[in-house]
Amino acid sequence: MFCLKVTELVLDNCRSSNGEIEGLNDSFKELEFLSMANVELTSLAKLPTLSKLRKLELSDNVISRGLEVLAERCPNLTYLNLSGNKIKDLSTVEALQNLKNLKSLDLFNCDVTNLEDYRESVFELLQQITYLDGFDQEDNEAPDSEDEDDEEGDEEDEEDEDEAGPPGEYEEDEDEDDAGSDLGEGEEEEEAEGVRGEKRKREPEDEGEEEDD
């Protein structure tokens, strides 16, 4: 079936019926990214089991409770966007504690964000997350996933270059050394032969001079 191979699915602006979207079921075994923004979703009770899902977009719906379902159906979530929903209190957010891999949570424009010490309370409740509404506890902005991939790729390239060194540098040096040593040996042999030749030439002459005397 086609749906078995789908890894990304965008259903934004579709209309849910009785808390579910027709056709979205457990057969999407490989799904890693699912977006259901503005689908009038009131509950997650009928969300299918998506064990490989890592990113879930649920912004601009009317969800107010029942978030504990996510840990059961989507245990490997790392990113969850619930901005623009009807979440009003911290007890609803506390239900996300069992999402052990969750790193980024977005509750922007939910009523819960108006609570005093909202950010400190959420970071205390969900100690596994790094980013809340796009920023960490020191107000550093979360990087885009594409930027993270590019940085990782650049680091790997730099490591490869450092290990390999400039291309051909060492090989050229070795070739030059070998050539120089070969040339030097040849010249020494020629000089030695030349000296021996001179000696051989002089010997008869020396003998002739002695006879003349």
Short mmCIF file of all heavy atoms in Angstrom, two decimals, residues 180-196:
data_model
loop_
_atom_site.label_atom_id
_atom_site.label_comp_id
_atom_site.label_asym_id
_atom_site.label_seq_id
_atom_site.Cartn_x
_atom_site.Cartn_y
_atom_site.Cartn_z
N GLY A 180 65.47 13.21 -5.97
CA GLY A 180 66.75 13.81 -5.59
C GLY A 180 67.76 12.76 -5.20
O GLY A 180 68.92 12.81 -5.58
N SER A 181 67.31 11.75 -4.45
CA SER A 181 68.25 10.72 -4.01
C SER A 181 68.73 9.89 -5.20
O SER A 181 69.89 9.53 -5.28
CB SER A 181 67.59 9.82 -2.96
OG SER A 181 66.44 9.20 -3.52
N ASP A 182 67.83 9.59 -6.15
CA ASP A 182 68.25 8.83 -7.33
C ASP A 182 69.26 9.61 -8.16
O ASP A 182 70.25 9.08 -8.63
CB ASP A 182 67.02 8.52 -8.22
CG ASP A 182 66.09 7.55 -7.52
OD1 ASP A 182 66.55 6.90 -6.55
OD2 ASP A 182 64.91 7.48 -7.93
N LEU A 183 68.99 10.90 -8.33
CA LEU A 183 69.88 11.74 -9.11
C LEU A 183 71.25 11.82 -8.46
O LEU A 183 72.30 11.72 -9.10
CB LEU A 183 69.28 13.15 -9.27
CG LEU A 183 70.06 14.12 -10.13
CD1 LEU A 183 70.16 13.60 -11.56
CD2 LEU A 183 69.38 15.49 -10.11
N GLY A 184 71.29 11.99 -7.15
CA GLY A 184 72.56 12.09 -6.44
C GLY A 184 73.39 10.84 -6.58
O GLY A 184 74.60 10.88 -6.80
N GLU A 185 72.77 9.66 -6.49
CA GLU A 185 73.50 8.40 -6.63
C GLU A 185 74.09 8.27 -8.03
O GLU A 185 75.22 7.84 -8.22
CB GLU A 185 72.56 7.24 -6.33
CG GLU A 185 72.15 7.18 -4.86
CD GLU A 185 71.12 6.09 -4.62
OE1 GLU A 185 70.74 5.43 -5.61
OE2 GLU A 185 70.72 5.92 -3.46
N GLY A 186 73.31 8.68 -9.04
CA GLY A 186 73.79 8.59 -10.42
C GLY A 186 74.99 9.47 -10.65
O GLY A 186 75.96 9.08 -11.29
N GLU A 187 74.94 10.70 -10.15
CA GLU A 187 76.05 11.63 -10.33
C GLU A 187 77.31 11.12 -9.65
O GLU A 187 78.42 11.22 -10.19
CB GLU A 187 75.67 13.00 -9.78
CG GLU A 187 74.60 13.70 -10.62
CD GLU A 187 74.20 15.01 -10.00
OE1 GLU A 187 74.63 15.27 -8.86
OE2 GLU A 187 73.46 15.78 -10.65
N GLU A 188 77.13 10.54 -8.46
CA GLU A 188 78.31 10.01 -7.75
C GLU A 188 78.95 8.88 -8.53
O GLU A 188 80.18 8.78 -8.63
CB GLU A 188 77.88 9.52 -6.37
CG GLU A 188 77.51 10.66 -5.43
CD GLU A 188 76.99 10.14 -4.11
OE1 GLU A 188 76.94 8.89 -3.96
OE2 GLU A 188 76.66 10.95 -3.24
N GLU A 189 78.10 8.01 -9.12
CA GLU A 189 78.67 6.90 -9.89
C GLU A 189 79.42 7.42 -11.11
O GLU A 189 80.50 6.94 -11.45
CB GLU A 189 77.54 5.97 -10.33
CG GLU A 189 76.93 5.20 -9.16
CD GLU A 189 75.76 4.35 -9.62
OE1 GLU A 189 75.43 4.40 -10.81
OE2 GLU A 189 75.20 3.63 -8.78
N GLU A 190 78.85 8.45 -11.81
CA GLU A 190 79.52 9.00 -12.98
C GLU A 190 80.86 9.61 -12.61
O GLU A 190 81.87 9.45 -13.30
CB GLU A 190 78.63 10.06 -13.64
CG GLU A 190 77.40 9.44 -14.31
CD GLU A 190 76.52 10.51 -14.91
OE1 GLU A 190 76.90 11.70 -14.78
OE2 GLU A 190 75.48 10.18 -15.48
N GLU A 191 80.87 10.37 -11.48
CA GLU A 191 82.14 10.99 -11.04
C GLU A 191 83.19 9.92 -10.73
O GLU A 191 84.37 10.05 -11.07
CB GLU A 191 81.87 11.85 -9.81
CG GLU A 191 81.08 13.11 -10.14
CD GLU A 191 80.79 13.91 -8.89
OE1 GLU A 191 81.23 13.47 -7.80
OE2 GLU A 191 80.16 14.98 -9.00
N ALA A 192 82.73 8.86 -10.09
CA ALA A 192 83.69 7.81 -9.72
C ALA A 192 84.26 7.15 -10.97
O ALA A 192 85.47 6.88 -11.07
CB ALA A 192 82.99 6.76 -8.85
N GLU A 193 83.40 6.88 -11.97
CA GLU A 193 83.88 6.28 -13.21
C GLU A 193 84.86 7.22 -13.93
O GLU A 193 85.86 6.79 -14.51
CB GLU A 193 82.70 5.96 -14.12
CG GLU A 193 81.85 4.82 -13.59
CD GLU A 193 80.65 4.56 -14.48
OE1 GLU A 193 80.48 5.32 -15.45
OE2 GLU A 193 79.89 3.61 -14.19
N GLY A 194 84.54 8.55 -13.90
CA GLY A 194 85.42 9.52 -14.55
C GLY A 194 86.80 9.51 -13.92
O GLY A 194 87.82 9.57 -14.61
N VAL A 195 86.88 9.44 -12.61
CA VAL A 195 88.16 9.43 -11.92
C VAL A 195 88.96 8.19 -12.29
O VAL A 195 90.15 8.25 -12.56
CB VAL A 195 87.94 9.49 -10.39
CG1 VAL A 195 89.25 9.25 -9.64
CG2 VAL A 195 87.35 10.85 -10.02
N ARG A 196 88.25 7.04 -12.32
CA ARG A 196 88.95 5.80 -12.66
C ARG A 196 89.48 5.87 -14.11
O ARG A 196 90.56 5.40 -14.43
CB ARG A 196 88.00 4.60 -12.49
CG ARG A 196 87.74 4.27 -11.03
CD ARG A 196 87.14 2.88 -10.91
NE ARG A 196 85.80 2.86 -11.49
CZ ARG A 196 84.70 3.14 -10.79
NH1 ARG A 196 84.79 3.49 -9.52
NH2 ARG A 196 83.51 3.09 -11.39
#
